[in-house]
Amino acid sequence: MNNRFLIGMPGCGKSTVAAVFDWKYDEQVYDTDDCIVSKHGEISKIFEEYGEEYFREIETEVIKQLNDIEYDCFISVGGGAVLREENVRIMKSDGNKIIYLRTKLSTLEERLKNDTTRPLLKGDLKKRLNKLFAERSAIYEGVADIIVDTDGLTPEQIFENISTELRGIK
């Protein structure tokens, strides 16, 4: 297998860019958050009722299941998936590639200013987003095989940049 995992902050465009891969390549594309919602219900409710740790356990199980699919695919993972070493190990296994969609904090703030669906960003968006950005940016960069900057680019342009980078490391 040769799966490609899209990682990055909430609002960086992982799901949107994954959809472009589906459209352009007609490949299987999965979003771990969508898989979780379809089986377990809304993510915000999971956080409220069971807590973040329970959610992370479900997320790890979904990443395992998707990685075990018998064909290559693109998998968009939730922003916090890289916080678990087990998830990173899975995403780095079997020739897989991790692609970090790096996005400036100001861009994330603009994209997320009206989003009320993300449990870790409830309350003071700017403060919470700054905290997550500080905690996660170095982790994303450290685990990524490819880093693609997204600011000012369309999803199609980001797709083209990823495609170019993937061709360069095969």
Side-chain angles (χ1 to χ4, degrees):
M1 282 179 292
N2 189 9
N3 295 321
R4 283 79 38 146
F5 288 89
L6 297 176
I7 65 169
M9 287 288 293
C12 73
K14 297 179 298 286
S15 299
T16 304
V17 171
V20 175
F21 273 94
D22 185 26
W23 173 63
K24 292 269 191 177
Y25 281 150
D26 194 28
E27 287 193 30
Q28 285 299 132
V29 173
Y30 297 95
D31 183 303
T32 58
D33 286 349
D34 288 347
C35 293
I36 291 168
V37 168
S38 70
K39 188 171 181 181
H40 299 278
E42 290 181 42
I43 291 171
S44 59
K45 291 202 184 310
I46 296 169
F47 268 75
E48 284 173 23
E49 293 179 25
Y50 304 104
E52 183 177 358
E53 185 57 31
Y54 180 77
F55 171 79
R56 296 293 172 207
E57 289 172 18
I58 294 170
E59 184 177 55
T60 297
E61 192 56 39
V62 168
I63 290 170
K64 283 181 196 173
Q65 290 168 355
L66 293 175
N67 192 56
D68 288 342
I69 293 174
E70 294 297 321
Y71 46 83
D72 298 347
C73 53
F74 279 86
I75 302 167
S76 171
V77 299
V82 297
L83 301 177
R84 279 190 153 192
E85 287 182 28
E86 181 178 7
N87 293 344
V88 173
R89 218 174 14 259
I90 294 165
M91 290 188 283
K92 286 227 173 247
S93 67
D94 302 323
N96 295 336
K97 299 294 179 222
I98 297 176
I99 303 158
Y100 170 32
L101 301 184
R102 183 167 54 191
T103 308
K104 292 178 183 171
L105 190 55
S106 57
T107 302
L108 297 171
E109 288 173 7
E110 181 61 30
R111 288 179 184 169
L112 296 169
K113 67 183 177 188
N114 296 316
D115 188 333
T116 59
T117 64
R118 300 171 193 263
L120 293 179
L121 296 177
K122 291 204 187 248
D124 183 341
L125 174 66
K126 187 174 181 95
K127 180 179 177 184
R128 298 191 61 115
L129 196 55
N130 272 293
K131 182 178 184 299
L132 287 179
F133 194 83
E135 291 171 351
R136 296 179 180 179
S137 293
I139 296 169
Y140 293 139
E141 290 188 17
V143 302
D145 297 300
I146 297 170
I147 297 173
V148 175
D149 291 309
T150 67
D151 295 284
L153 300 178
T154 66
E156 291 78 14
Q157 290 169 320
I158 296 166
F159 160 83
E160 292 298 334
N161 290 348
I162 292 170
S163 297
T164 299
E165 291 289 332
L166 285 171
R167 281 191 299 274
I169 60 173
K170 283 191 174 184

